[in-house]
Amino acid sequence: MKYNHNKLLVKDLNNGKEKAYEYLVDTYGDRMYAYALTLVKNPPLAKDIVQNVFLNTWKFRKKLSSEYEIKNFLFKSVHNEFITQYQKDKSQMVLQYKYIETLDQIIEETDESSIIKMIKIVYNEIEKLPPKCKEVFYLSKKEGLTNNEISLHLGISVKTVEAQITKAFQILRVKLGEQFESIFILVFGKPLLS
Protein backbone atom coordinates (compact mmCIF):
# COMPACT_ATOMS: atom_id res chain seq x y z
CA MET A 1 0.00 0.00 0.00
CA LYS A 2 1.22 3.48 -0.86
CA TYR A 3 0.50 6.42 1.42
CA ASN A 4 0.08 9.77 -0.33
CA HIS A 5 -1.10 11.62 2.76
CA ASN A 6 0.79 12.04 6.00
CA LYS A 7 -2.44 12.05 8.06
CA LEU A 8 -3.56 8.67 6.74
CA LEU A 9 -0.14 7.14 7.36
CA VAL A 10 0.00 8.46 10.95
CA LYS A 11 -3.60 7.38 11.57
CA ASP A 12 -2.81 3.82 10.42
CA LEU A 13 0.33 3.80 12.57
CA ASN A 14 -1.72 5.02 15.56
CA ASN A 15 -4.08 2.11 14.95
CA GLY A 16 -1.22 -0.41 14.81
CA LYS A 17 -1.52 -1.33 11.13
CA GLU A 18 1.61 -3.24 10.22
CA LYS A 19 1.33 -2.26 6.53
CA ALA A 20 1.83 1.37 7.57
CA TYR A 21 4.93 0.41 9.56
CA GLU A 22 6.31 -1.61 6.63
CA TYR A 23 5.69 1.37 4.36
CA LEU A 24 7.63 3.57 6.80
CA VAL A 25 10.60 1.20 6.86
CA ASP A 26 10.60 0.66 3.08
CA THR A 27 10.21 4.35 2.25
CA TYR A 28 12.57 5.95 4.77
CA GLY A 29 14.91 3.20 6.00
CA ASP A 30 17.71 3.67 3.46
CA ARG A 31 17.63 7.47 3.67
CA MET A 32 17.67 7.37 7.47
CA TYR A 33 20.62 4.96 7.38
CA ALA A 34 22.51 7.29 5.00
CA TYR A 35 21.81 10.21 7.32
CA ALA A 36 22.89 8.25 10.41
CA LEU A 37 26.08 7.27 8.59
CA THR A 38 26.96 10.94 8.06
CA LEU A 39 26.67 11.42 11.82
CA VAL A 40 28.57 8.39 13.13
CA LYS A 41 30.81 7.17 10.26
CA ASN A 42 30.27 3.64 11.59
CA PRO A 43 27.94 1.33 9.55
CA PRO A 44 26.91 -1.05 12.39
CA LEU A 45 26.21 1.85 14.76
CA ALA A 46 24.28 3.72 12.03
CA LYS A 47 22.17 0.59 11.51
CA ASP A 48 21.54 0.32 15.27
CA ILE A 49 20.45 3.97 15.42
CA VAL A 50 17.94 3.48 12.60
CA GLN A 51 16.61 0.25 14.14
CA ASN A 52 16.17 1.97 17.51
CA VAL A 53 14.27 4.82 15.86
CA PHE A 54 11.94 2.41 14.06
CA LEU A 55 11.41 0.32 17.21
CA ASN A 56 10.60 3.40 19.28
CA THR A 57 8.34 4.77 16.56
CA TRP A 58 6.33 1.55 16.63
CA LYS A 59 6.40 1.31 20.42
CA PHE A 60 5.08 4.87 20.84
CA ARG A 61 2.97 4.92 17.67
CA LYS A 62 -0.19 5.96 19.55
CA LYS A 63 1.52 9.23 20.51
CA LEU A 64 2.36 10.20 16.91
CA SER A 65 0.57 13.32 15.73
CA SER A 66 -0.65 13.80 12.17
CA GLU A 67 0.07 17.53 12.61
CA TYR A 68 3.76 16.81 12.04
CA GLU A 69 5.35 15.32 8.95
CA ILE A 70 6.39 11.75 9.74
CA LYS A 71 9.52 12.17 7.61
CA ASN A 72 10.69 15.15 9.69
CA PHE A 73 9.90 13.24 12.88
CA LEU A 74 11.98 10.23 11.74
CA PHE A 75 15.04 12.28 10.79
CA LYS A 76 14.85 14.31 14.01
CA SER A 77 14.62 11.00 15.90
CA VAL A 78 17.77 9.74 14.13
CA HIS A 79 19.59 12.87 15.27
CA ASN A 80 18.31 12.47 18.85
CA GLU A 81 19.32 8.80 18.92
CA PHE A 82 22.79 9.79 17.68
CA ILE A 83 23.09 12.26 20.59
CA THR A 84 21.96 9.55 23.03
CA GLN A 85 24.55 7.09 21.64
CA TYR A 86 27.27 9.74 21.75
CA GLN A 87 26.56 10.53 25.40
CA LYS A 88 26.48 6.82 26.24
CA ASP A 89 29.87 6.31 24.54
CA LYS A 90 31.31 9.30 26.35
CA SER A 91 30.23 8.03 29.78
CA GLN A 92 31.49 4.55 28.81
CA MET A 93 34.94 6.05 28.13
CA VAL A 94 34.99 7.69 31.58
CA LEU A 95 34.09 4.33 33.17
CA GLN A 96 36.81 2.53 31.18
CA TYR A 97 39.38 5.09 32.30
CA LYS A 98 38.39 4.60 35.96
CA TYR A 99 38.49 0.83 35.46
CA ILE A 100 42.04 0.96 34.05
CA GLU A 101 43.10 3.32 36.85
CA THR A 102 41.73 0.89 39.48
CA LEU A 103 43.43 -2.08 37.83
CA ASP A 104 46.78 -0.28 37.89
CA GLN A 105 46.28 0.49 41.58
CA ILE A 106 45.39 -3.14 42.41
CA ILE A 107 48.44 -4.47 40.59
CA GLU A 108 50.76 -1.98 42.30
CA GLU A 109 49.41 -2.53 45.82
CA THR A 110 48.64 -6.26 45.92
CA ASP A 111 50.77 -9.33 45.36
CA GLU A 112 49.58 -12.01 42.93
CA SER A 113 48.71 -14.70 45.49
CA SER A 114 46.52 -12.25 47.45
CA ILE A 115 44.65 -11.26 44.28
CA ILE A 116 44.00 -14.93 43.43
CA LYS A 117 42.77 -15.59 46.98
CA MET A 118 40.43 -12.60 46.87
CA ILE A 119 39.03 -13.61 43.46
CA LYS A 120 38.28 -17.09 44.85
CA ILE A 121 36.46 -15.56 47.83
CA VAL A 122 34.35 -13.38 45.47
CA TYR A 123 33.38 -16.39 43.33
CA ASN A 124 32.63 -18.52 46.43
CA GLU A 125 30.22 -15.85 47.71
CA ILE A 126 28.56 -15.60 44.29
CA GLU A 127 28.08 -19.38 44.29
CA LYS A 128 26.23 -19.08 47.62
CA LEU A 129 23.61 -16.69 46.16
CA PRO A 130 20.06 -18.07 45.82
CA PRO A 131 19.78 -20.04 42.50
CA LYS A 132 17.63 -17.57 40.49
CA CYS A 133 19.59 -14.63 41.87
CA LYS A 134 22.90 -16.27 40.92
CA GLU A 135 21.67 -17.12 37.40
CA VAL A 136 20.50 -13.56 36.70
CA PHE A 137 23.68 -12.13 38.23
CA TYR A 138 25.95 -14.27 36.03
CA LEU A 139 23.97 -13.50 32.88
CA SER A 140 24.30 -9.80 33.66
CA LYS A 141 27.87 -9.51 34.92
CA LYS A 142 29.67 -12.45 33.30
CA GLU A 143 27.79 -12.84 30.01
CA GLY A 144 27.15 -9.10 29.66
CA LEU A 145 23.47 -9.46 28.75
CA THR A 146 21.17 -6.47 29.15
CA ASN A 147 18.20 -6.65 31.53
CA ASN A 148 15.87 -6.94 28.51
CA GLU A 149 17.90 -9.83 27.07
CA ILE A 150 17.90 -11.64 30.44
CA SER A 151 14.14 -11.06 30.71
CA LEU A 152 13.55 -12.66 27.30
CA HIS A 153 16.05 -15.48 27.92
CA LEU A 154 14.55 -16.50 31.28
CA GLY A 155 10.93 -15.59 30.56
CA ILE A 156 10.68 -13.19 33.50
CA SER A 157 9.88 -9.48 33.68
CA VAL A 158 12.57 -6.79 33.47
CA LYS A 159 11.49 -5.65 36.96
CA THR A 160 12.23 -9.16 38.29
CA VAL A 161 15.66 -9.09 36.61
CA GLU A 162 16.42 -5.71 38.21
CA ALA A 163 15.22 -6.97 41.60
CA GLN A 164 17.42 -10.09 41.40
CA ILE A 165 20.52 -8.05 40.46
CA THR A 166 19.85 -5.59 43.29
CA LYS A 167 19.38 -8.50 45.70
CA ALA A 168 22.69 -10.04 44.56
CA PHE A 169 24.54 -6.75 45.10
CA GLN A 170 23.01 -6.35 48.57
CA ILE A 171 24.04 -9.87 49.62
CA LEU A 172 27.57 -9.50 48.20
CA ARG A 173 27.98 -6.06 49.77
CA VAL A 174 27.25 -7.54 53.21
CA LYS A 175 29.37 -10.68 52.68
CA LEU A 176 32.40 -9.11 50.99
CA GLY A 177 32.60 -5.59 52.37
CA GLU A 178 34.66 -2.75 50.96
CA GLN A 179 38.02 -4.49 50.84
CA PHE A 180 36.84 -6.58 47.90
CA GLU A 181 35.62 -3.58 45.85
CA SER A 182 38.81 -3.51 43.77
CA ILE A 183 38.77 -7.25 43.09
CA PHE A 184 35.14 -7.07 42.07
CA ILE A 185 36.06 -4.41 39.51
CA LEU A 186 38.90 -6.62 38.32
CA VAL A 187 36.61 -9.64 37.89
CA PHE A 188 33.48 -7.98 36.45
CA GLY A 189 34.52 -4.48 35.38
CA LYS A 190 31.89 -2.90 37.64
CA PRO A 191 32.11 -1.61 41.20
CA LEU A 192 30.40 -3.72 43.84
CA LEU A 193 29.20 -0.80 45.90
CA SER A 194 27.55 1.18 43.09
Side-chain angles (χ1 to χ4, degrees):
M1 181 173 186
K2 190 169 176 169
Y3 287 89
N4 295 323
H5 298 290
N6 185 65
K7 285 190 180 193
L8 180 61
L9 175 58
V10 172
K11 183 180 173 209
D12 281 359
L13 285 167
N14 291 152
N15 293 328
K17 293 194 176 174
E18 289 181 22
K19 290 284 181 203
Y21 183 72
E22 287 171 19
Y23 174 82
L24 212 60
V25 173
D26 292 343
T27 305
Y28 299 109
D30 289 342
R31 286 185 270 171
M32 289 165 61
Y33 172 72
Y35 176 55
L37 208 48
T38 65
L39 297 171
V40 294
K41 314 275 189 279
N42 175 332
L45 183 54
K47 198 175 269 190
D48 285 349
I49 286 172
V50 172
Q51 284 177 345
N52 287 345
V53 168
F54 279 130
L55 287 172
N56 285 328
T57 301
W58 182 252
K59 187 176 177 183
F60 300 107
R61 65 190 176 275
K62 291 185 186 253
K63 294 183 179 184
L64 292 172
S65 169
S66 58
E67 299 301 310
Y68 303 105
E69 281 292 321
I70 193 77
K71 181 175 86 171
N72 296 346
F73 167 78
L74 291 171
F75 282 88
K76 180 71 177 160
S77 296
V78 167
H79 185 263
N80 291 342
E81 183 66 22
F82 159 70
I83 299 292
T84 302
Q85 292 293 331
Y86 174 77
Q87 288 170 338
K88 205 184 288 181
D89 287 348
K90 208 168 150 187
S91 65
Q92 203 61 24
M93 284 172 61
V94 170
L95 283 174
Q96 286 173 347
Y97 178 75
K98 285 185 178 181
Y99 175 62
I100 290 166
E101 211 173 58
T102 303
L103 285 179
D104 288 344
Q105 190 179 348
I106 293 168
I107 290 163
E108 280 176 28
E109 295 174 2
T110 318
D111 65 85
E112 193 178 328
S113 65
S114 295
I115 291 174
I116 291 167
K117 249 186 245 174
M118 291 168 86
I119 289 172
K120 282 182 183 172
I121 291 169
V122 168
Y123 274 109
N124 284 340
E125 289 304 329
I126 292 168
E127 285 302 313
K128 293 177 190 173
L129 290 170
K132 183 59 83 181
C133 194
K134 180 171 69 173
E135 183 180 22
V136 169
F137 185 81
Y138 269 130
L139 288 171
S140 173
K141 303 302 163 215
K142 203 171 181 187
E143 303 297 324
L145 297 181
T146 65
N147 290 356
N148 283 340
E149 290 168 335
I150 296 168
S151 165
L152 290 170
H153 179 69
L154 297 178
I156 57 177
S157 73
V158 173
K159 288 279 182 211
T160 303
V161 171
E162 290 167 357
Q164 291 294 332
I165 291 170
T166 301
K167 182 178 176 181
F169 272 116
Q170 288 170 341
I171 293 169
L172 293 171
R173 184 179 292 126
V174 169
K175 296 283 186 182
L176 301 174
E178 284 186 45
Q179 76 268 28
F180 289 97
E181 172 78 2
S182 303
I183 296 302
F184 200 85
I185 291 173
L186 179 69
V187 174
F188 293 107
K190 182 178 170 92
L192 173 62
L193 304 175
S194 65

